[in-house]
Amino acid sequence: MGKRILDILNKHKFKTVIGLIGLLYWLFCLPSQLFKVPHATVVESVEGELLGARIARDGQWRFPALDSVPYKFEKCILLFEDEYFYKHPGFNPVAMSKALYGNLTTDKRRGGSTITQQVIRLSRKGSKRTYGEKFIELIKATRLEVGYSKAQILNMYATYAPFGGNVVGLETASWRYYGVPATQLSWGQMAALAVLPNNPSMVRPGRNVSTLSRKRNQLLKKLWETGEIDETSYKLALLEDLPGKPYPLPQIAPHLVERIKKTDEGKRVQTTVNKSVQQELNRLAREHYGQLKQNEIYNLAMVVMDVQTKEVLGYVGNAPTDAAHHKDVDIVSKSRSTGSTLKPFLYAGMLDEGLILPHTLVPDIPTSINGYQPQNFDNEYQGVVPAGKALAQSLNVPAVRMLRQYGLDKFYGDLKEMNLGGINKPSSHYGLAMVLGGAESSLWELTKTYAGMAHTLNTFTKTSSEYVTDSFEDYNYLLRFPPTRKLNEDQLLEHDPTVFSAGAIYSTLETLRTVNRPNGDENWQFYEDAQPIAWKTGTSFGFKDAWSVGVTPQYAIGVWVGNADGEGRPGITGIQAAAPLFFDVLRSLPTDGSWFEMPHDDLVAVHVCLKSGKKASAFCPVSETQLVPAAGFKSHSCAFHKQLYVTQNEEYQVNSDCYELDMMKAETRFVLPPTIEYYYASKHPDYMQPPPFHPDCSFIGEMPMAFIYPKDNEGVILPKDFDSEINDVIFKIAHRNPDSKVFWYLNKEYVGQTETFHELAIAPKEGEYVLTIVDEDGYEVKKKIAVSRG
């Protein structure tokens, strides 16, 4: 008796163990991630519309899951595949029994799987279709029902169901077969797609049309009979085209899609790009490319950013060119020679240090610095030029001299503080040529840095003179905030300015606003709807890169034009190639014509000499009070206006050593150093040179003559002609009195004299010399020179 009881207990224990094992299998039969397959990279606009996509790594067009299944698809698929979806626990015994009976008694094969079971089968890709496999699917389907909601299960089906060829998922099929998102499909289109997973091979152009049509029409009839659609909708749906050859996916922002794929592969990414702005940029790219390629210019790039929200609105990585001209290269992110586009940052820095005021005269004369000899684009010199005009006209020589005054290392530090990418070598590597294009950066970096200046100014003027530290941080093309995000008080924390003050930025943008526009836009200010913009062009050495970058209170726009392979062309200049496209972009954007508010709290009133642009001295005849950056208060006063003592007829300068005090006449003159005066006078006929000193008076003050060539620290290289014969060297000086005779000596040996035009041709041999010049009044200047063959 006891043994029998023990046997019964052992049998029950065995059944319990088996039951526990079965329960544990059921509980853990599903992997943590049901589908371990790669997805396509899908990129959407800020409105949620498709900009482009890239195929999954396994060669399948499989879009990531949608947030929800479209209503029409849910009604269609449930009516066609699983009418009791919301009632069964994962399997339908009635449907399975009917399918089993039919399979045993007829030659036709029919399935009784629910949508839940089909999801399991899709996740077990490659498993054989056997009754044993069906049983496993049934077990796992019940577990799936417990672990997931019906909506989640239906979404899995819509995401991973096959729709023919390499098209997987409803959203992918909608775009491939109808060219629209699934939410925009009609009842006829949705019904056609709903019947496809049951037999995906039905979608083959020119084949199986009748089968697909019959199944779709049967489903449409069910929809009508159940009251889901009315008779009119039913009849119209019957007339709709069936899916056929797949449509190409949209390619509205292909280079941005590729850029996103590198960081977010296999994801659905919503960007900040405005689709209408992007399409307009694409149109302009096609239009300008058609013109540029006539001059063998094959590439261009554009980017538009929202200054306030720090988001990218449009992104064109290249022209619609061909593979031979590198159409797939994303030039927006590639570093190129910056040309003159860094000059505004130098101008702002000097304003911020009080080294200049907006219109301070700066030298524009031949310059040689440790062998480096910058040249203006037109190879001419103006003597001196207002700093703002030098920036607006993009003069190279004043920029280099200003950089030397400001400090190369300090300027380099400013660029680093602004997070300007691409400049990754020490400042000594670039030298003073950095400000003329000796450095490299990308269109993305330059545009966001200009945008950072505008953002700083907007923030300062709209938040009670407070600064934010993130103005120069990177701009977003991925949507991280609501599209209409505005800065609020919690986001605007008070900090000291990290790079430039609002006053310096405002003055810089005011100057850039005056830059001449290209042909056809010269009279822009006379149009009521014209949008003012602070902009700058740039052209790299060898005509390889043309830039145009600018900002309004709303937008930052960047344009690059050139050849991706670096081939230079005569037409690749900022004003000729990039500026016309730049202003077409500006005109295409919705603008309100506004301009930056003046940052009154960061400006000070200074009495400024109108002639020199410096703080007015006691000798400045005409001056006015101007609002300048705060540091301008400590800038130097005008030294160009001087009080001279002359004879009554103003023929000579005199002093108390040679002339009676009561006979001297005091007058104020605008006086430039001789070297500067030489070039300034040729451009300004109204310039009055100071009279020479009276023969009986000793010279006190500035030397009346100076070397033009050779310059300081500049060696002399013997020139050669086409036959390699050595030619004479032309030495040149400037003299305040052009009528004065000048005598030339080389190592104390007389070599000639000049009058009026002080240039002398000499043929020295290689070696070191002392060049001495003496004028007829006895004034003498000397310079050590080293002559070589080069």
Side-chain angles (χ1 to χ4, degrees), residues 64-97:
L66 292 170
D67 293 334
S68 60
V69 175
Y71 173 81
K72 291 178 182 177
F73 182 74
E74 180 180 348
K75 294 301 178 182
C76 288
I77 199 64
L78 295 187
L79 201 57
F80 184 74
E81 289 280 2
D82 192 353
E83 293 187 56
Y84 298 96
F85 176 70
Y86 285 107
K87 296 179 180 179
H88 62 63
F91 65 96
N92 187 335
V94 176
M96 291 179 68
S97 299

Side-chain angles (χ1 to χ4, degrees), residues 215-508:
K215 289 194 173 189
R216 182 202 65 175
N217 294 347
Q218 289 174 348
L219 177 54
L220 287 171
K221 188 174 182 180
K222 279 188 177 182
L223 290 168
W224 173 42
E225 291 174 344
T226 57
E228 197 62 51
I229 60 176
D230 58 29
E231 184 177 4
T232 302
S233 298
Y234 166 62
K235 291 181 178 179
L236 290 174
L238 292 175
L239 301 175
E240 294 191 54
D241 292 333
L242 294 169
K245 185 178 181 180
Y247 284 89
L249 290 172
Q251 293 288 335
I252 300 175
H255 297 91
L256 179 60
V257 172
E258 282 294 332
R259 182 169 181 170
I260 291 173
K261 181 186 175 184
K262 294 176 182 178
T263 57
D264 295 274
E265 185 176 8
K267 298 179 182 179
R268 183 185 299 275
V269 176
Q270 188 174 9
T271 68
T272 61
V273 170
N274 182 294
K275 184 180 178 182
S276 62
V277 171
Q278 182 67 29
Q279 289 177 320
E280 185 63 17
L281 294 185
N282 290 341
R283 182 189 68 80
L284 291 173
R286 290 191 298 270
E287 181 180 304
H288 281 262
Y289 170 69
Q291 301 168 7
L292 292 166
K293 70 179 180 180
Q294 304 303 318
N295 190 30
E296 299 183 23
I297 303 171
Y298 297 104
N299 304 99
L300 59 83
M302 293 176 276
V303 64
V304 176
M305 299 176 177
D306 187 309
V307 167
Q308 188 71 357
T309 63
K310 303 186 69 177
E311 294 169 346
V312 175
L313 303 179
Y315 188 112
V316 175
N318 208 327
T321 184
D322 51 34
H325 297 101
H326 314 284
K327 67 180 179 66
D328 296 323
V329 175
D330 179 9
I331 297 176
V332 168
S333 61
K334 295 295 183 288
S335 290
R336 310 282 300 202
S337 168
T338 54
S340 296
T341 56
L342 303 185
K343 289 177 181 176
F345 308 136
L346 173 61
Y347 182 77
M350 295 196 72
L351 288 172
D352 220 19
E353 290 294 312
L355 296 174
I356 59 170
L357 298 182
H359 304 292
T360 295
L361 291 178
V362 293
D364 179 24
I365 57 175
T367 300
S368 179
I369 303 171
N370 297 325
Y372 176 54
Q373 301 178 15
Q375 300 288 328
N376 292 326
F377 189 77
D378 59 4
N379 291 317
E380 294 190 4
Y381 304 95
Q382 299 184 37
V384 286
V385 61
K389 184 178 179 182
L391 174 61
Q393 294 184 351
S394 199
L395 299 178
N396 292 334
V397 173
V400 170
R401 296 180 71 98
M402 289 166 67
L403 179 55
R404 182 175 62 171
Q405 180 185 1
Y406 185 67
L408 176 61
D409 289 338
K410 180 169 178 56
F411 182 60
Y412 179 85
D414 289 345
L415 299 180
K416 286 295 185 181
E417 282 194 69
M418 290 188 289
N419 296 316
L420 181 64
I423 299 179
N424 48 24
K425 295 180 175 63
S427 60
S428 57
H429 172 82
Y430 303 107
L432 296 176
M434 172 186 282
V435 77
L436 304 185
E440 290 189 346
S441 193
S442 67
L443 181 63
W444 175 270
E445 295 292 338
L446 284 171
T447 307
K448 66 96 174 172
T449 305
Y450 273 70
M453 294 179 69
H455 185 269
T456 298
L457 187 55
N458 279 347
T459 302
F460 184 90
T461 55
K462 294 178 181 178
T463 57
S464 302
S465 305
E466 297 176 354
Y467 286 93
V468 290
T469 57
D470 68 343
S471 288
F472 293 98
E473 289 183 0
D474 216 353
Y475 275 54
N476 299 318
Y477 50 77
L478 303 182
L479 187 63
R480 306 186 189 280
F481 301 96
T484 55
R485 178 174 70 96
K486 298 295 181 183
L487 298 174
N488 55 52
E489 293 182 0
D490 293 333
Q491 293 170 306
L492 298 174
L493 304 177
E494 184 173 2
H495 291 281
D496 291 331
T498 57
V499 189
F500 305 132
S501 68
I505 292 174
Y506 179 78
S507 296
T508 301

